[in-house]
Amino acid sequence: QKLQDMGVISSDDAAQLSTGITFPVEPLRLLQAVVLQNQPPRAAQIDACIADAASRVRQLHPMLAEWGLDDLSRKQTAQLLELLEGLQFRLRGSHEKLAGWRSSFQMKLGREPVQALFWDKLHSAAGAPYSAHAFQRDYLGDIERRCARQRVHGIEARSAQASRERLKYRMERCIGRCIDRGFRLEVLRVPTRGVPWSTLCEHHRCMDALQQLALSAHFPAYLGCEPCAASEEGGLAVSQWFTELVEAPTLRELRAAYGGLTETSLLFRHWRHQLVEALLHLSAQCTFLLRHSLTLDHVHVLDDGARIVLYRVGW
């Protein structure tokens, strides 16, 4: 009655509230009933936002643990904090510019969301709003099962120099063979010492992105890794990462060799659908961002033209 007299709740709410509670009642039980009775309409959106933030924190925690923040000096901590604040300032400026561009875009073309305005004209599954973080949270079990099923063991790397690609910091990329299953794959060897932290982070981002995109057919399959293996040269310990071997021409090479296709041809329409689907998976399934623009040199045509794969993409 006092809540009604103070104008906190209406008479109808008070009557409905009193029917669901047996008096005498504890104050905490009454408070819970009042909150539940007057739950704001945006509660579901707030819960979804909190769940999304919690998922991001869980993904951020392993990286922060690898940094070893407890071992940093006060000066190093201050430098790290200054770097993060500068990054946050840059991201805030980019967000404001994007919001301004979007508002001006909608002012000219109406209230239709820009995302739906572009994607639903090309792919029917992209008209609804999507979130890469939500996708990773909802399909985490499927992604882990796919990666576990594709993981390989017993890899025999080729020793021929022609099959090796020397990279900086004594890293190398070569062709290997799965002894158990009998197919070829790509092996990336990274020494456990002498590689700068920035290069290691770049490499781990690429491998993590391939794992997140395990359910997409438009990226090389992630086949697992060996954290510490003996190198053939000098006994240097290396980490070996296994991915699907992509031996196929790029769209740029095909266009230079055979010319362009007409937009009405079946092959052009199939490749267009495959390429748009790959770009959609980049936006809707992977939480990492590209470091560069995609070109025809990144687009490879596999399985006699049936499959488009984006290869050697930097994250």
Side-chain angles (χ1 to χ4, degrees):
Q1 183 63 37
K2 186 174 182 179
L3 292 175
Q4 182 179 352
D5 295 338
M6 294 175 61
V8 177
I9 60 176
S10 63
S11 57
D12 295 336
D13 291 336
Q16 187 175 358
L17 184 63
S18 61
T19 58
I21 296 180
T22 303
F23 292 93
V25 62
E26 295 180 359
L28 181 59
R29 174 73 179 86
L30 179 61
L31 178 61
Q32 293 175 347
V34 172
V35 172
L36 184 62
Q37 179 71 27
N38 296 274
Q39 191 175 26
R42 295 186 59 194
Q45 299 179 11
I46 295 174
D47 291 341
C49 182
I50 293 176
D52 184 70
S55 174
R56 299 190 184 201
V57 170
R58 283 194 299 270
Q59 293 184 3
L60 185 64
H61 183 267
M63 183 182 68
L64 295 179
E66 291 182 359
W67 286 6
L69 298 180
D70 296 337
D71 300 331
L72 296 180
S73 64
R74 181 174 297 181
K75 181 178 179 181
Q76 291 173 330
T77 304
Q79 292 176 346
L80 179 60
L81 180 60
E82 182 180 358
L83 178 64
L84 293 177
E85 289 178 346
L87 180 61
Q88 184 181 16
F89 178 78
R90 291 177 57 187
L91 292 177
R92 185 185 301 115
S94 301
H95 178 74
E96 293 175 353
K97 290 181 179 179
L98 181 60
W101 175 83
R102 179 171 180 173
S103 60
S104 63
F105 192 86
Q106 290 185 348
M107 191 179 301
K108 294 180 179 179
L109 299 180
R111 297 297 301 171
E112 183 177 7
V114 176
Q115 175 178 303
L117 178 66
F118 175 73
W119 283 113
D120 63 359
K121 304 303 180 184
L122 301 174
H123 197 287
S124 58
Y130 52 77
S131 167
H133 291 277
F135 181 89
Q136 291 298 315
R137 181 177 63 249
D138 297 338
Y139 291 91
L140 178 60
D142 295 335
I143 293 174
E144 291 182 344
R145 283 189 291 271
R146 176 69 62 84
C147 291
R149 188 167 60 250
Q150 294 180 158
R151 187 170 292 114
V152 295
H153 303 280
I155 303 303
E156 179 184 28
R158 290 188 175 182
S159 59
Q161 296 294 328
S163 63
R164 293 190 178 187
E165 179 184 356
R166 300 289 184 176
L167 306 175
K168 56 184 179 180
Y169 307 116
R170 302 183 68 178
M171 297 189 303
E172 66 178 19
R173 184 181 286 111
C174 63
I175 298 176
R177 178 178 175 272
C178 179
I179 301 177
D180 297 336
R181 305 182 189 178
F183 65 87
R184 299 194 305 165
L185 47 81
E186 183 175 295
V187 181
L188 179 62
R189 292 177 169 178
V190 181
T192 56
R193 293 181 297 173
V195 181
W197 175 252
S198 58
T199 303
L200 288 176
C201 289
E202 178 181 344
H203 165 66
H204 280 278
R205 285 196 301 268
C206 293
M207 294 297 107
D208 290 343
L210 288 183
Q211 292 184 66
Q212 290 190 359
L213 292 164
L215 300 182
S216 174
H218 304 298
F219 298 87
Y222 175 78
L223 304 178
C225 69
E226 292 181 357
C228 188
S231 174
E232 299 176 358
E233 301 178 1
L236 179 64
V238 297
S239 297
Q240 296 190 140
W241 302 80
F242 311 123
T243 56
E244 178 186 0
L245 180 62
V246 177
E247 288 185 313
T250 65
L251 280 185
R252 187 182 300 278
E253 294 171 345
L254 291 175
R255 187 176 185 277
Y258 303 104
L261 296 172
T262 61
E263 294 188 10
T264 56
S265 66
L266 293 178
L267 184 59
F268 179 88
R269 294 167 61 183
H270 174 69
W271 284 354
R272 179 181 61 186
H273 180 274
Q274 290 264 304
L275 185 57
V276 170
E277 191 174 58
L279 297 178
L280 173 62
H281 292 171
L282 274 178
S283 302
Q285 297 185 13
C286 184
T287 61
F288 293 89
L289 302 179
L290 296 178
R291 292 189 296 107
H292 54 73
S293 301
L294 294 177
T295 66
L296 294 181
D297 295 321
H298 297 101
V299 184
H300 292 252
V301 181
L302 279 70
D303 301 336
D304 297 327
R307 178 184 171 207
I308 289 289
V309 172
L310 299 183
Y311 182 54
R312 299 285 176 89
V313 177
W315 306 89

